[in-house]
């Protein structure tokens, strides 16, 4: 689930960049940030661009050495030992959300701060949001949910049988 | 390793280098930041003023190659400090001949520090029009002949295309600078301006059209955890401040309604303080009908700027701004009340690259002269100078920007225009030291009047924004200064003390490059020292910080003393002193500014010579400005000083003199008690 952007609320202040840079590097720099506010002054548009966590991520596919993979959370994970810093992932990303670290040269992109993205917290206007994405359930999944719920009922009833008896005695 | 400039860790908060670009031989040179200077002057305006004093010979011509163009950043620039990434542009002003200095928000300072520089000094002169590209430690010079006499927008967009990176920060000048208009400003990415005192004119005189910038490095601080925590706390305090709501939705545009209600809005060139139709163009009207979104400077959580759209009609536009000063200049000051015209005119001025306060004064000055019969339409290329004529105003903007017709007479500011025009028109020129007065009538806030008079860059409120006097709570005046009247805007008592104090904190603001809307107006002074120490690892107290502010005010004054300024130059136009305010039925009605009382107190509070306004030797030594104390000696008895001494005549009564001294003593006692 990528960070969702509400461009009409973004003031273009770049606090998210500074927060991101600090969270990951304990220093402040635009090029150390995993999020970049695209500022188009002539149109008044400010748009924070960050990894979209694509289902079939072009960056992962493009990597000639299979150094990139997707985590269960959807973020792009780098295996440093395989990376040759060739930049194929940067070229492949359709959003410009993949960049090379200015010091190490390794690709960097949003890791959701391990599930608690700091840019979302610092944004003064709520232009950044973390939202849960839901997909439609398959029939089999629904069936399994119902089965599991029935089993929980069964188990809880059995396990609390003693408690029911105790109450009857107390009254 | 990447292309970034790696920053040496011994410079916490600072980038660590000063970039000196000599245009005559096109040799850039990065010098190490000298830490004792950082400690004494903090950065930003502090660095710039120190450089101006040290490196400019007295008496040089502002448009000669001996003048320098300085860009200063602060120690919080390019961090997550909210509102801490402003920028100062300083030079010797071609408009006033004294300290030229202007401060802006924007993003340039952040990226300049990421590129590795705390200050840039541009010196010498190029033979051909060029633009400079600072790409981390690679500095290149590019032909700009195709950009000459082009607008800020064209320059910004063209350079970004040429350098193939739309995120590059652009500092540029508009076409007015290239035509030699004396009050052309420095602009940043279309939307932010260091507009006052003609800094853009100086850059253009060096044949530099723009400075492009990319910074890929980074900034570290001494105590990251503490620095982070303090900034989060400050962000929270901003959020819960009572001013947050107004500033975050309207910024300074909310001033219109308030000033008008109280009766000291600038109406018809200060002839009145109330405009019945101001509701048409006030901040609330913009908010409800034209603003589409909020905009912020780098790192700021207060976002006091707006992006506005006028969909159709003769004044259709879309763009950022204006803030209060630009609004009032194209509305009440010139007797107009059309919000769409105002938004459009602001846009045009920004594209051409001119100081809108000056432009607003020139237009409204002509209109008053016309009303008085001093000039007629024959003097101004046939333009109709009735109050509020929008077409005339736009025509004048065009003429001024290109020095065409009457525009040539106007293009050096109202003081020189009045000198050229003669006919007693100087009596109506609203300027101090050659810089035009803002859209706040000092008869409604007398402490601001003192600020306009003593400001070392000429008439200006931001040099010592005495926002405190607007609090309207005598108990707070007593609590902060030991003088209740300091918190009352129509009272003259204690204002010398107040303006000294606020002037020093405004200087600290500019040296740290923190926005005054928060540091001074939202009372953040008690938090600043801790933040400075967390960033740098120093151990400064609030008192020591204020002393830095005092040092900066004094070095600026000494710069101006060398240029011949003395006490008679700390003045206000007669209107504010002799003509009672006209705003029937409002509390400001009939008020005048008693400047002399405030001035006498101010010089005493400052430790300056009351008759010449030169800082005393004792004061300069107290501020560790030993060399400057020696420099000042010959000026104490020179021709200008002798003139000031001869002209000095104190008209205060003995009672008044006793009272102002009593206030100074009350403040001293109060300070001693607060310390103890």
């Amino acid at each position: 689930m990528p960070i969702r952007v509400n461009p009409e609320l973004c003031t273009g202040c770049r606090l998210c960049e500074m927060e991101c840079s600090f969270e990951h590097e304990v220093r402040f720099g635009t090029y150390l940030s995993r999020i970049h506010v695209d500022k188009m002054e002539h149109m008044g548009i400010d748009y924070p661009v960050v990894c979209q966590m694509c289902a079939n991520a072009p960056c992962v596919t493009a990597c000639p050495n299979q150094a990139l993979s997707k985590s269960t959370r959807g973020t792009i994970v780098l295996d440093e030992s395989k990376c040759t810093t060739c930049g194929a992932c940067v070229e492949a990303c359709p959003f410009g959300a993949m960049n090379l670290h200015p010091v190490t040269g390794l690709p960097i992109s949003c890791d959701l701060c391990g599930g608690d993205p700091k840019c979302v917290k610092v944004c003064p206007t709520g232009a950044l949001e973390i939202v849960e994405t839901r997909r439609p359930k398959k029939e089999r999944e629904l069936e399994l949910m119902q089965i599991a719920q029935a089993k929980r009922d069964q188990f809880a009833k059995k396990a609390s049988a003693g408690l029911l008896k105790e109450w009857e005695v107390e009254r | 390793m990447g292309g970034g400039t790696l920053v040496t860790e011994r410079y916490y908060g600072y980038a660590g280098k000063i970039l000196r670009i000599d245009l005559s031989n096109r040799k850039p040179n990065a010098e190490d930041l000298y830490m004792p200077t950082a400690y004494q002057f903090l950065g930003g305006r502090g660095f710039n003023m120190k450089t101006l004093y040290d490196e400019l010979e007295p008496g040089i011509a502002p448009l000669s190659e001996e003048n320098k163009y300085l860009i200063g950043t602060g120690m919080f620039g390019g961090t997550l400090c909210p509102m801490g990434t402003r920028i100062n542009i300083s030079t010797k002003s071609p408009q006033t001949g004294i300290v030229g200095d202007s401060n802006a928000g924007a993003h340039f300072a952040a990226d300049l520090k990421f590129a590795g520089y705390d200050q840039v000094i541009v010196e010498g002169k190029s033979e051909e029009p060029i633009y400079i590209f600072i790409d981390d430690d690679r500095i290149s010079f590019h032909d700009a002949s195709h950009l000459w006499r082009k607008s800020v927008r064209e320059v910004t967009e063209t350079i970004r295309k040429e350098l193939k990176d739309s995120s590059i920060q652009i500092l540029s000048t508009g076409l007015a600078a290239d035509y030699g208009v004396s009050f052309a400003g420095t602009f940043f990415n279309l939307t932010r301006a260091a507009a006052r005192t003609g800094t853009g004119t100086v850059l253009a005189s060096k044949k530099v059209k723009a400075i492009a910038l990319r910074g890929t490095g980074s900034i570290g601080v001494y105590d990251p955890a503490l620095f982070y925590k303090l900034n989060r706390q400050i962000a929270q305090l901003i959020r819960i401040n009572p001013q947050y709501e107004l500033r975050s939705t309207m910024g300074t545009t909310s001033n219109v309604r308030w000033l008008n209600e109280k009766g000291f809005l600038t109406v018809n060139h200060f002839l009145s303080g109330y405009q019945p139709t101001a509701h048409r163009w006030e901040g609330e009207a913009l908010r409800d009908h034209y603003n589409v979104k909020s905009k912020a400077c780098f790192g700021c959580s207060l976002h006091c700027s707006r992006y506005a759209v006028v969909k159709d009609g003769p004044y259709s536009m879309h763009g950022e701004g204006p803030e209060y000063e630009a609004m009032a200049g194209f509305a009440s000051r010139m007797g107009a009340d059309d919000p769409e015209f105002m938004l459009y005119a602001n846009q045009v001025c920004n594209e051409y690259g001119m100081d809108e306060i000056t432009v607003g004064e020139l237009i409204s000055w002509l209109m008053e002269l016309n009303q008085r019969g001093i000039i007629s339409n024959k003097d101004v290329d046939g333009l109709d100078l009735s109050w509020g004529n929008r077409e005339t105003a736009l025509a004048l903007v065009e003429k001024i920007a290109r020095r065409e017709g009457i525009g040539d007479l106007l293009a050096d500011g109202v003081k020189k225009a009045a000198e050229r025009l003669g006919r007693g028109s100087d009596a109506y020129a609203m300027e101090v030291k050659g810089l035009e007065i803002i859209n706040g009538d000092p008869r409604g806030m007398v402490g601001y009047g003192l600020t306009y008079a003593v400001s070392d860059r000429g008439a200006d409120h931001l040099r010592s924004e005495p926002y405190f006097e607007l609090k309207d709570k005598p108990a707070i005046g007593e609590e902060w200064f030991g003088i209740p009247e300091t918190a009352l805007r129509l009272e003259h008592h204690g204002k010398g003390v107040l303006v000294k104090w606020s002037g020093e904190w405004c200087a600290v603001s500019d040296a740290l490059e923190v926005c005054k809307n928060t540091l001074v107006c939202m009372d953040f002074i008690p938090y600043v020292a801790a933040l400075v120490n967390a960033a740098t690892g120093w151990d400064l107290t609030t008192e020591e910080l204020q002393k830095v502010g005092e040092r900066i005010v004094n070095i600026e004054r000494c710069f101006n003393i060398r240029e011949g300024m003395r006490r008679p130059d700390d003045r206000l136009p007669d209107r504010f002193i002799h003509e009672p305010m006209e705003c029937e039925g409002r509390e400001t009605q009939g008020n005048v500014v008693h400047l002399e009382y405030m001035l006498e107190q101010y010089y005493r509070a400052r430790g300056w010579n009351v008759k010449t306004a030169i800082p005393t030797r004792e004061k300069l030594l107290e501020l560790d400005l030993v060399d400057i104390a020696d420099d000042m000696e010959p000026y104490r008895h020179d021709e200008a000083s002798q003139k000031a001494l001869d002209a000095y005549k104190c008209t205060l009564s003995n009672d008044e003199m006793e009272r102002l001294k009593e206030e100074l003593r009350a403040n001293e006692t109060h300070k001693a008690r607060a310390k103890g």
Side-chain angles (χ1 to χ4, degrees), chain A residues 10-15 18-19 22 26-32 39 41-44 46 102-103 122 124-125, chain B residues 1-2 9 78 80 107 111 114 157 160 189 215 218-220 224 228 232 239 293-296 299-300 303 307:
Chain A
C10 180
T11 65
C13 75
R14 291 162 76 193
L15 264 177
M18 292 303 101
E19 190 79 18
F22 185 78
V26 204
R27 292 184 68 82
F28 302 101
T30 294
Y31 284 80
L32 295 177
K39 295 173 69 68
E41 281 97 350
H42 58 292
M43 297 193 288
D46 302 283
V103 179
V122 79
T125 59
Chain B
M1 292 281 156
E9 278 298 347
L80 47 62
H107 291 241
D111 291 54
F114 299 152
E157 288 176 359
R160 282 176 167 175
N189 297 0
S218 62
I219 298 294
Y228 183 83
R232 289 272 64 79
R239 198 65 184 240
K293 65 172 260 185
S294 297
K295 297 279 284 180
C300 182
H303 46 84
Y307 198 80

Side-chain angles (χ1 to χ4, degrees), chain B residues 597-613:
Chain B
Y597 183 87
M598 297 190 290
L599 270 182
E600 290 285 330
Q601 186 175 67
Y602 179 77
Y603 296 133
R604 286 175 170 80
R606 275 247 165 269
W608 291 356
N609 184 304
V610 172
K611 297 176 184 174
T612 59

Side-chain angles (χ1 to χ4, degrees), chain B residues 567 594-597 600 647-654 656-657:
Chain B
R567 171 161 175 166
H594 193 2
L595 181 63
E596 191 182 4
Y597 183 87
E600 290 285 330
Y648 180 77
K649 199 172 106 220
C650 182
T651 63
L652 297 183
S653 69
N654 285 341
E656 283 175 314
M657 197 51 97

Side-chain angles (χ1 to χ4, degrees), chain A residues 21-132:
Chain A
S21 150
F22 185 78
E23 172 69 16
H24 292 91
E25 316 274 342
V26 204
R27 292 184 68 82
F28 302 101
T30 294
Y31 284 80
L32 295 177
S33 174
R34 277 73 172 157
I35 186 167
H36 295 273
V37 182
D38 201 66
K39 295 173 69 68
M40 288 173 279
E41 281 97 350
H42 58 292
M43 297 193 288
I45 298 288
D46 302 283
Y47 201 107
V49 180
V50 64
C51 177
Q52 299 294 301
M53 303 181 189
C54 315
N56 293 311
C59 55
V60 173
T61 318
C63 180
N65 302 300
Q66 289 79 47
L68 294 174
S69 60
K70 279 196 76 175
S71 74
T72 44
R73 198 180 271 116
T75 56
I76 307 298
V77 183
L78 172 75
D79 181 345
E80 289 187 19
S81 65
K82 290 184 185 164
C83 180
T84 62
T85 70
C86 70
C89 51
V90 176
E91 280 196 71
C93 177
F95 313 106
M98 182 65 81
N99 290 280
L100 297 189
H101 190 290
V103 179
T104 65
L106 294 167
I108 49 174
S109 69
C110 177
D111 61 359
L112 292 173
C113 299
D116 179 24
K118 299 293 186 293
C119 55
V120 173
K121 285 185 170 167
V122 79
C123 179
T125 59
L128 298 175
E129 275 182 308
I130 186 86
V131 283
E132 191 191 5

Side-chain angles (χ1 to χ4, degrees), chain B residues 87-109:
Chain B
I87 192 162
N88 262 76
I89 306 294
S90 318
T91 188
K92 182 173 181 181
S93 166
Q95 188 184 2
T96 61
I98 51 172
V99 165
D101 183 54
S102 198
N103 181 285
H107 291 241
F108 198 87

